[in-house]
Amino acid sequence: MERSDFNRWEQDNDYPGYIRRITNGFLEMKYIGITEEHPIEQENRLITALLDNGLDLIHLRKPKYSGEKTEQLLLSIPPRYYDRIVLHDHFELAEKYRLAGVHLNGRNPHYRPLSNDYIPTLSRSCHSIEELTDGQRYDYLFLSPIFDSISKKGYRSAFSPEQLTKAGKECVINERVIALGGITPEKKTAIKDWNFGGIAVLGFLWQEPTIAGVIRQLTRLRND
């Protein structure tokens, strides 16, 4: 099934409501979490706590995990949250467990569905404003790094405020573009001013990897 057919298809099928909201455009600021590459103690419980407390999507980014290990992590998360989980690797598991979607990147630049009865949301990473102009093929896009990265030392902002302001005014940055890189609560005003539809967080989210800690970080992001 082509992406152009999906909008018609999903209107006639019982597809998860969150997926429909993504497809039709973000109506409010969205909050997306990205996992650390390395294992975290009780990570399944931390992910569950975040989804329990208002995180819209969690991206499982474990580039060194085998398919088996990725599946083990998935099976340790309550199935009720599968429609809010996105995979960066081992895309066959997204179809097997009917996950929210798949995220394309340098390791996995393409996705080809194995059957016609599962069409995931598609997202991809962008590292230049020019790449956003090809964004109509995707449900949403990450643009990074907006600020100096917290999780990747030396990974510095790639954009000036002037560039982002211009792209926002021209709607190149729009409700389907998600800001990633160095996001903290005090930077939300700028993110909104630049017309981003949401924020994705990695380093800030996992600074205190306990249930209370990740809930506190998410609450700060949402409320500050």
Side-chain angles (χ1 to χ4, degrees):
M1 184 183 297
E2 297 293 333
R3 172 61 49 173
S4 60
D5 297 328
F6 180 52
N7 289 340
R8 295 191 298 274
W9 178 87
E10 60 98 21
Q11 291 174 6
D12 301 321
N13 289 269
D14 185 20
Y15 218 61
Y18 184 72
I19 305 303
R20 193 169 292 117
R21 291 202 298 279
I22 290 178
T23 304
N24 292 338
F26 289 124
L27 300 180
E28 59 185 22
M29 180 70 71
K30 295 301 174 188
Y31 297 88
I32 299 175
I34 304 173
T35 61
E36 291 274 14
E37 289 189 24
H38 57 79
I40 297 176
E41 186 176 354
Q42 297 187 323
E43 189 166 17
N44 62 319
R45 296 185 62 197
L46 303 185
I47 290 170
T48 300
L50 287 166
L51 294 170
D52 273 338
N53 284 273
L55 189 69
D56 291 299
L57 289 173
I58 186 77
H59 278 230
L60 297 189
R61 181 178 178 274
K62 300 289 188 182
K64 296 181 180 179
Y65 274 26
S66 65
E68 181 180 2
K69 193 168 183 180
T70 301
E71 187 169 22
Q72 289 174 352
L73 176 57
L74 274 174
L75 291 173
S76 68
I77 299 169
R80 67 180 181 274
Y81 288 130
Y82 285 179
D83 66 354
R84 290 161 64 188
I85 295 175
V86 175
L87 291 185
H88 285 223
D89 301 275
H90 308 297
F91 293 160
E92 70 280 1
L93 296 175
E95 183 161 343
K96 181 176 180 179
Y97 293 102
R98 293 302 196 261
L99 305 183
V102 299
H103 184 82
L104 305 183
N105 50 55
R107 297 185 310 279
N108 302 293
H110 305 291
Y111 171 76
R112 186 177 296 278
L114 300 176
S115 65
N116 287 333
D117 65 347
Y118 172 71
I119 303 296
T121 57
L122 295 180
S123 57
R124 64 162 286 193
S125 297
C126 297
H127 302 290
S128 71
I129 290 173
E130 289 71 26
E131 289 179 89
L132 298 178
T133 60
D134 190 35
Q136 294 302 317
R137 294 188 295 159
Y138 306 94
D139 294 294
Y140 60 99
L141 303 164
F142 286 169
L143 182 65
S144 70
I146 301 303
F147 303 103
D148 294 351
S149 175
I150 296 171
S151 60
K152 300 178 181 179
K153 301 303 180 185
Y155 193 48
R156 306 189 68 82
S157 170
F159 311 98
S160 69
E162 292 76 19
Q163 287 176 302
L164 296 170
T165 297
K166 182 175 184 291
K169 287 181 177 179
E170 294 174 351
C171 292
V172 176
I173 295 175
N174 55 47
E175 71 276 359
R176 294 186 305 107
V177 181
I178 306 300
L180 170 63
I183 307 296
T184 55
E186 60 271 16
K187 295 169 181 172
K188 277 177 57 179
T189 298
I191 293 297
K192 291 179 180 179
D193 288 345
W194 291 327
N195 207 34
F196 285 96
I199 59 178
V201 284
L202 199 168
F204 177 82
L205 194 60
W206 305 104
Q207 286 183 341
E208 187 182 341
T210 64
I211 289 178
V214 297
I215 292 174
R216 185 181 305 114
Q217 296 297 83
L218 177 60
T219 300
R220 287 182 58 199
L221 281 171
R222 289 172 58 87
N223 296 341
D224 285 5

